[in-house]
Amino acid sequence: MSTATTHEAATENHEVEHHGLSDKQYIVIALILAALTAIEVSTYYVDFGPFFMPTLLILMVIKFVTVVSYFMHLKFDNKIFSYLFYAGLLLAIAVYCGFLATFKFFLKQG
Amino acid sequence: MAESAIAHDHGVSHGAHASSTGLSNNKMGMWMFLGSECLLFGGLISTYMLYRGRVSSGPQPNNIFDIPFTSVSSFILLMSSLTMVLAVSSAQRKDDRNTNLWLTITALLGATFVGGQVYEFTAFYREGLGFTTSLFGSSFYSLTGFHGVHVSVGIIMLMALVGMNRNNRIPGDKAEVVELIGLYWHFVDIIWIIIFTLVYLIPS
Amino acid sequence: MTIIERPSTEVAIAGAVPVGVKPSEALGVFKRPAASSSWRDWVVTVDHKKLGIMYGVAAFVFFLIGGVEALLIRLQLIAPDGKVLNADQYNQMFTMHATTMVFLFVMPMAAAFANYFVPLQIGARDVAFPRINAFGFWCFLFGGLFLNSSWFLGGGADGGWFMYAPNSSTLFSPSHGVDFWTMGLQITGIASLTGAINLIVTILNMRAPGMKMMRMPIFTWMVLVTQFLLLFAIPVITVALFLLTFQRSFDATFFDVASGADPLLWQHLFWIFGHPEVYILILPSFGIVSEVIPVFSKKPLFGYPIVAMSGAAIGFVGWGVWAHHMFASGLGPVSVTVFSMSTMAIAVPTGVKIVNWIMTMWGGKLTFTVPMLFAVGLVTQFTIGGLSGVTHAVAPSDTQQTDTYYIVAHFHYVLFGGAVFGLFAGFYYWWPKMFGRQLSESIGKWNFWLMVIGMNMTFGPMHILGLQGQPRRMFVWTKARAGEGLFNFGFWNRIASIGSFILGVGILLFIINIFYTHKLKKGALASNDPWDARTLEWMTDSPPKEHNFDVIPQINHLDEFFHRKYEQDSATHSVTQVHSADEVMAELNAHPDEHIHMPSRSYWPILLALSLPTIGYGLIYNRMLMAIGVAMVLLTMFGWAMEPATSPDEDFDPPESGDTHTKELVPHG
């Protein structure tokens, strides 16, 4: 078995897997992200009342997932990459929320 | 520290058989590194969340943050993700000229962000928030400083990439190398999305 | 057939190096080192087997250092009013003993086996990132040397291996010991993190054709779980170490209680890392005995999928139990209850494994060779340690035991009686494969029994000492406090100290055994399959060639090698041998692969690793040196990035002999 052929085969697979978006679509996503950021910043000027925290947290998650899914291609790529990354992310969230919970952190904030 | 090393090690060329999953070793390594980085920034963010209200001396977070200024620099970093993804897409089209162009713009946007951070740090320092002033100061500078170092490392990698690309000295699959550095760059951006909300926008 | 160490120019242009680059332009800063047989080859090697051996040798040397530290501790406590060490030296001794054993012996020794045997067990020719693999080893070695250099530069760290802050701040620990500790662990942490990424990608991506996940040997499974734990646990300790470094070197306030800091911050961060860490220590040994027990019971592992999945379950639940190290710190009743329950839960998958090992042995044709003895030793002693561990999960009972010798007894039963016995089982089991000679069985049996007696004499009495109230980390005891009767401190401390020296003699016998086997050449030359084993690493030469396998086998079964040697009669279920190991190998190697390309040697891993202790010394002594270190990191990483993993011919030093054809390894077949 020669390396050259496997390498080419691997490259071909590689290109087939790329269902990335077109440049125009990337720009549209960037505009959406910019708009979301504008809403986030507007909370500083406009009083959102009880919706203040939920709005900010939800927008944060949407922006995060959008960048990960589209700009980082996770939505189009092999699921294994998603598992590896989200394993780390969810573990981090779980462990550190547990950690802050032992300090009664969330109660104090409420 | 290992990221650029990972980016340039080529699994394909020494495995005698194609990879079991059909995926690139380098890309899998990079995603695992990013998963691991989540735990790193998670620790720093949690430390900041725990300590941000603990100000025994010096300024409070709410009195010192300049939201309009930080919003602009956050926007710049967010847009650098767009230019990065355009660089990746040019590289996949084997369009070297545009790859280099977008990579350079990304690096410049990143540098603007870091410059803004340096300005912000000096402004805060003048207003009396030193690294050792309070728990808030220590944890704030550690968190944002770590992020700033990550951005700076990204800028160095981008510039090295442009230099190497111009001289045709990138070993291995060029588009993949650009993509891997892109992954790192976007990761730094999404960490800032979290920091911007949790640190700046939500008051303590 | 020729085995080419690197691709010919022709292949290079078609494959690895992009079109348009002439090979000579791919040259980095240095010419690459060519193959040689001198010591220099070990410095620049990227071969996973050589790196595995170097990991093993370095870790064993650190084991001896840590052992001497332990003996000094026991010597101090052998009699009332010990004069061997003063309080300060005693603090350094137990801190460095634990740090050395955990970070510089058990972890890298497991890494040694993982490096050497995972590629062999999955039928790969090397790991996914050979240069990163080399970099990881040098980081570990330099980090370990950096940490131990503190002995000559004002004394070692003295805050315990958990280094609780604020006790480890400059106020309470003014020497540089803790600085060496934080930076040293930071450097070895880089080794673990890069090693984890490398091994996970290797296991996921480089399996032989047909080797599905559920056909992987159980050792490889346990390594996979361990590396995932490392991947996610190391960054947590990295954060903690950075915070402590900032506190000590730059006067940050993280652990400064006067400015409102919470001393539990360090405890949480440390144990979020620290509890996965104990599974990082034990799981590789679980993997080793899960290989050894079936081979010497002549039976397949009982419940293979359950053993694999319970390992993964331990890895997962291991993230939710960290605060059981902190029951006495005033966490509050809810936290204590939650962590108490999760801790009891983790005993379940661990118990499942023990049941599986026993069921594997049940009804088997047992042969008690030395590796089997060590494996059974693990099963027995780990069970004892596990049971005392469950008593800590009960929070009220734990409150009584916290910071007593009972804890010391517990973790030595699981770490020494468990992890270290597993590693010794690995030494004896895999030695013939690694070095081509079998260690003496008779010396090995002495080695085993002295270790068992020594270990139980040392750590068994500590249960009594602990329940009698002898605190941990107490540097001296007095006759007045020793008490009377059967349970007095004096008697049991003396027994423990004598036991520790018996243990020391046992370990010395291992070194004598190596000397006897290799220097005196008394050990029998090993065949390729001396134990009639079941897994792929035995289906190649002893020791394996640089490229591991002439032909990558097609995998159709769990325990592939066994299935090629034996056949089961479908009617009577009796198993008969149909091929000898040599016949299997001859059949496999009848048509060896041509043009096997192995990764090229490189200077960059060791250079990059060298720049890290430079930063460390710079941080402690001179900020200019630190800047030089950072510059070295950037330059070496740039050089590394410019260098292709496999290089064209022009990039090499001419071979030492002047013969231009030595780039080809031995012609074979």
Side-chain angles (χ1 to χ4, degrees):
Chain A
M1 190 197 301
S2 114
T3 307
T5 54
T6 50
H7 186 264
E8 276 159 21
T11 321
E12 273 167 22
N13 285 340
H14 206 64
E15 275 160 14
V16 174
E17 278 166 24
H18 276 294
H19 306 293
L21 303 174
S22 70
D23 287 2
K24 257 188 201 151
Q25 286 167 305
Y26 285 132
I27 293 170
V28 171
I29 289 170
L31 288 175
I32 296 171
L33 287 171
L36 294 179
T37 310
I39 302 175
E40 281 183 338
V41 176
S42 71
T43 60
Y44 178 68
Y45 299 100
V46 186
D47 189 9
F48 274 59
F51 300 109
F52 174 71
M53 283 276 280
T55 312
L56 278 179
L57 290 177
I58 291 168
L59 285 176
M60 176 181 91
V61 173
I62 293 174
K63 281 170 73 181
F64 187 99
V65 174
T66 309
V67 173
V68 173
S69 306
Y70 295 98
F71 285 179
M72 296 169 93
H73 294 130
L74 215 44
K75 191 169 183 321
F76 314 110
D77 244 334
N78 195 291
K79 284 277 168 289
I80 293 179
F81 296 138
S82 301
Y83 295 145
L84 289 171
F85 179 67
Y86 283 116
L89 181 71
L90 296 177
L91 188 65
I93 293 172
V95 163
Y96 290 118
C97 282
F99 155 80
L100 288 173
T102 62
F103 288 101
K104 302 196 176 66
F105 176 83
F106 300 108
L107 298 181
K108 279 179 203 162
Q109 295 306 303
Chain B
M1 285 198 185
E3 55 267 11
S4 80
I6 292 165
H8 298 118
D9 230 327
H10 282 270
V12 196
S13 46
H14 49 259
H17 49 88
S19 77
S20 316
T21 53
L23 303 174
S24 144
N25 286 351
N26 301 328
K27 205 165 158 186
M28 195 184 273
M30 178 54 93
W31 273 113
M32 266 189 285
F33 174 70
L34 297 182
S36 165
E37 287 267 276
C38 289
L39 276 286
L40 182 96
F41 278 104
L44 290 165
I45 292 171
S46 310
T47 304
Y48 175 80
M49 296 306 275
L50 186 65
Y51 279 169
R52 62 179 182 170
R54 303 196 185 181
V55 183
S56 53
S57 63
Q60 290 277 349
N62 300 351
N63 307 339
I64 199 166
F65 287 149
D66 180 356
I67 300 293
F69 177 82
T70 314
S71 302
V72 171
S73 66
S74 303
F75 180 74
I76 288 170
L77 193 63
L78 192 64
M79 285 307 111
S80 78
S81 261
L82 172 65
T83 56
M84 187 71 230
V85 84
L86 293 176
V88 174
S89 120
S90 307
Q92 279 162 356
R93 287 195 303 264
K94 301 196 179 6
D95 178 353
D96 272 355
R97 228 174 60 96
N98 277 322
T99 309
N100 284 344
L101 178 70
W102 288 121
L103 287 176
T104 313
I105 295 176
T106 311
L108 285 175
L109 290 174
T112 315
F113 174 83
V114 173
Q117 197 168 35
V118 171
Y119 169 79
E120 186 192 40
F121 280 12
T122 32
F124 287 2
Y125 187 72
R126 281 207 206 95
E127 289 175 50
L129 185 74
F131 185 55
T132 58
T133 308
S134 62
L135 285 166
F136 161 62
S138 291
S139 52
F140 171 78
Y141 284 120
S142 295
L143 171 58
T144 49
F146 255 91
H147 181 265
V149 168
H150 273 76
V151 179
S152 307
V153 169
I155 294 169
I156 293 171
M157 292 201 297
L158 288 170
M159 294 192 328
L161 194 59
V162 171
M164 286 164 73
N165 197 9
R166 284 200 168 166
N167 298 316
N168 253 340
R169 290 184 60 166
I170 299 176
D173 180 355
K174 202 188 290 180
E176 189 187 68
V177 175
V178 177
E179 191 189 352
L180 292 183
I181 295 186
L183 288 180
Y184 173 82
W185 189 263
H186 295 307
F187 178 78
V188 172
D189 182 32
I190 55 180
I191 291 299
W192 188 257
I193 289 176
I194 296 177
I195 292 177
F196 181 55
T197 307
L198 292 186
V199 174
Y200 288 90
L201 291 179
I202 297 179
S204 61
Chain C
M1 167 208 170
T2 50
I3 309 292
I4 304 180
E5 181 213 335
R6 51 186 183 276
S8 64
T9 316
E10 187 191 359
V11 177
I13 287 175
V17 179
V19 183
V21 180
K22 288 197 207 80
S24 58
E25 286 176 3
L27 174 66
V29 180
F30 301 129
K31 279 194 182 281
R32 293 181 95 127
S36 73
S37 53
S38 71
W39 60 270
R40 284 202 311 188
D41 200 48
W42 290 82
V43 175
V44 295
T45 189
V46 293
D47 177 7
H48 73 96
K49 295 180 291 299
K50 282 188 171 165
L51 289 166
I53 290 171
M54 286 198 285
Y55 259 115
V57 171
F60 200 81
V61 171
F62 284 124
F63 177 49
L64 296 180
I65 295 173
V68 169
E69 286 157 2
L71 290 181
L72 286 170
I73 292 171
R74 282 320 312 171
L75 213 54
Q76 166 76 6
L77 296 179
I78 195 169
D81 308 309
K83 297 277 187 295
V84 180
L85 304 167
N86 63 31
D88 188 32
Q89 287 164 336
Y90 188 86
N91 287 345
Q92 296 174 29
M93 216 50 85
F94 71 69
T95 304
M96 292 296 281
H97 162 70
T99 308
T100 304
M101 289 305 192
V102 168
F103 292 99
L104 305 181
F105 169 54
V106 178
M107 280 170 73
M109 195 53 96
F113 284 126
N115 252 303
Y116 200 104
F117 287 104
V118 163
L120 286 166
Q121 285 199 326
I122 62 173
R125 290 206 163 110
D126 208 317
V127 290
F129 306 108
R131 285 185 297 175
I132 290 179
N133 199 19
F135 171 66
F137 165 71
W138 295 112
C139 275
F140 147 65
L141 181 64
F142 295 147
L145 293 175
F146 177 82
L147 180 58
N148 273 286
S149 72
S150 61
W151 286 117
F152 309 104
L153 297 166
D158 53 4
W161 86 286
F162 37 78
M163 206 56 72
Y164 279 171
N167 188 39
S168 53
S169 58
T170 41
L171 180 62
F172 305 106
S173 185
S175 82
H176 279 308
V178 178
D179 299 320
F180 278 102
W181 186 87
T182 49
M183 289 309 291
L185 291 194
Q186 205 75 277
I187 296 170
T188 58
I190 293 171
S192 301
L193 186 65
T194 54
I197 293 176
N198 184 18
L199 282 168
I200 296 172
V201 175
T202 304
I203 293 172
L204 293 182
N205 250 1
M206 300 188 68
R207 283 164 284 144
M211 177 160 286
K212 300 178 180 147
M213 294 300 276
M214 294 316 275
R215 286 180 189 163
M216 294 195 313
I218 208 82
F219 174 69
T220 299
W221 254 111
M222 291 305 109
V223 168
L224 181 66
V225 175
T226 307
Q227 302 307 320
F228 266 108
L229 288 175
L230 276 171
L231 179 72
F232 295 135
I234 291 292
V236 185
I237 186 82
T238 304
V239 171
L241 292 172
F242 268 121
L243 298 187
L244 186 57
T245 306
F246 290 162
Q247 164 108 4
R248 288 181 58 93
S249 301
F250 305 110
D251 299 321
T253 52
F254 295 110
F255 308 112
D256 180 12
V257 180
S259 31
D262 200 318
L264 286 188
L265 172 67
W266 172 272
Q267 296 200 16
H268 275 292
L269 288 177
F270 186 83
W271 290 117
I272 290 174
F273 153 79
H275 204 83
E277 170 72 15
V278 308
Y279 295 107
I280 290 164
L281 298 173
I282 193 66
L283 284 177
S285 287
F286 280 2
I288 292 170
V289 302
S290 304
E291 299 287 336
V292 169
I293 288 176
V295 168
F296 297 104
S297 306
K298 292 255 162 282
K299 274 177 67 187
L301 182 66
F302 180 85
Y304 164 87
I306 298 173
V307 178
M309 286 306 124
S310 63
I314 291 174
F316 185 72
V317 185
W319 283 96
V321 298
W322 77 85
H324 68 217
H325 296 268
M326 304 160 60
F327 280 160
S329 68
L331 278 177
V334 179
S335 304
V336 168
T337 312
V338 169
F339 283 100
S340 189
M341 305 254 285
S342 61
T343 306
M344 289 177 197
I346 206 167
V348 175
T350 319
V352 165
K353 274 181 177 318
I354 290 168
V355 169
N356 278 289
W357 293 324
I358 293 170
M359 294 300 279
T360 307
M361 288 190 273
W362 186 269
K365 287 196 205 95
L366 305 185
T367 34
F368 284 101
T369 58
V370 179
M372 181 66 166
L373 286 174
F374 274 106
V376 176
L378 178 146
V379 175
T380 317
Q381 292 171 149
F382 184 85
T383 307
I384 298 173
L387 289 174
S388 63
V390 175
T391 67
H392 307 323
V394 183
S397 150
D398 182 75
T399 316
Q400 183 72 16
Q401 295 151 4
T402 295
D403 274 340
T404 69
Y405 260 77
Y406 190 85
I407 303 281
V408 181
H410 158 70
F411 66 68
H412 280 96
Y413 263 86
V414 288
L415 284 185
F416 202 100
V420 178
F421 269 61
L423 294 174
F424 270 81
F427 292 153
Y428 278 92
Y429 178 61
W430 277 320
W431 198 273
K433 181 52 67 187
M434 293 172 84
F435 300 106
R437 275 180 193 274
Q438 287 200 270
L439 288 170
S440 156
E441 281 283 306
S442 47
I443 300 181
K445 285 195 172 137
W446 277 96
N447 175 5
F448 169 74
W449 284 111
L450 283 176
M451 274 175 74
V452 169
I453 294 167
M455 134 94 213
N456 286 289
M457 250 177 94
T458 312
F459 303 115
M462 290 185 186
H463 291 110
I464 301 170
L465 287 171
L467 291 178
Q468 285 297 100
Q470 177 170 325
R472 272 171 92 174
R473 303 185 281 274
M474 182 185 71
F475 92 102
V476 73
W477 54 276
T478 55
K479 225 178 173 83
R481 279 184 63 190
E484 304 215 325
L486 183 59
F487 293 115
N488 73 77
F489 283 3
F491 177 68
W492 293 111
N493 268 313
R494 203 166 305 131
I495 295 286
S497 292
I498 295 168
S500 69
F501 280 88
I502 295 176
L503 190 53
V505 173
I507 288 157
L508 204 59
L509 275 177
F510 179 66
I511 301 169
I512 291 171
N513 201 348
I514 297 172
F515 184 78
Y516 174 88
T517 305
H518 288 276
K519 256 303 191 259
L520 306 180
K521 303 217 184 295
K522 292 285 176 63
L525 280 175
S527 67
N528 292 334
D529 179 27
W531 310 118
D532 192 13
R534 314 173 68 86
T535 41
L536 276 192
E537 76 267 30
W538 301 98
M539 209 160 80
T540 182
D541 300 343
S542 299
K545 311 175 202 60
E546 184 174 353
H547 57 279
N548 291 355
F549 299 97
D550 284 347
V551 176
I552 302 292
Q554 168 74 37
I555 310 299
N556 298 314
H557 300 280
L558 172 68
D559 292 341
E560 175 71 19
F561 187 36
F562 173 82
H563 282 275
R564 292 190 182 203
K565 290 188 290 185
Y566 290 87
E567 259 172 25
Q568 191 178 35
D569 188 289
S570 51
T572 59
H573 295 289
S574 64
V575 177
T576 45
Q577 183 157 17
V578 287
H579 296 294
S580 74
D582 289 334
E583 285 167 9
V584 171
M585 278 185 62
E587 191 193 329
L588 175 71
N589 294 338
H591 304 288
D593 290 349
E594 290 184 22
H595 298 296
I596 298 166
H597 306 302
M598 298 303 290
S600 314
R601 291 163 178 74
S602 177
Y603 289 116
W604 297 112
I606 187 169
L607 287 177
L608 180 54
L610 257 180
S611 54
L612 298 173
T614 313
I615 297 177
Y617 285 115
L619 185 76
I620 295 170
Y621 293 111
N622 186 329
R623 297 283 147 86
M624 262 315 283
L625 191 60
M626 195 172 149
I628 293 172
V630 173
M632 274 171 71
V633 168
L634 289 174
L635 288 174
T636 47
M637 281 178 77
F638 197 62
W640 181 320
M642 303 263 277
E643 180 190 78
T646 34
S647 255
D649 293 355
E650 285 90 321
D651 286 7
F652 285 79
D653 284 332
E656 282 169 339
S657 60
D659 174 7
T660 49
H661 295 291
T662 45
K663 68 187 181 208
E664 289 178 2
L665 291 174
V666 272
H668 203 86

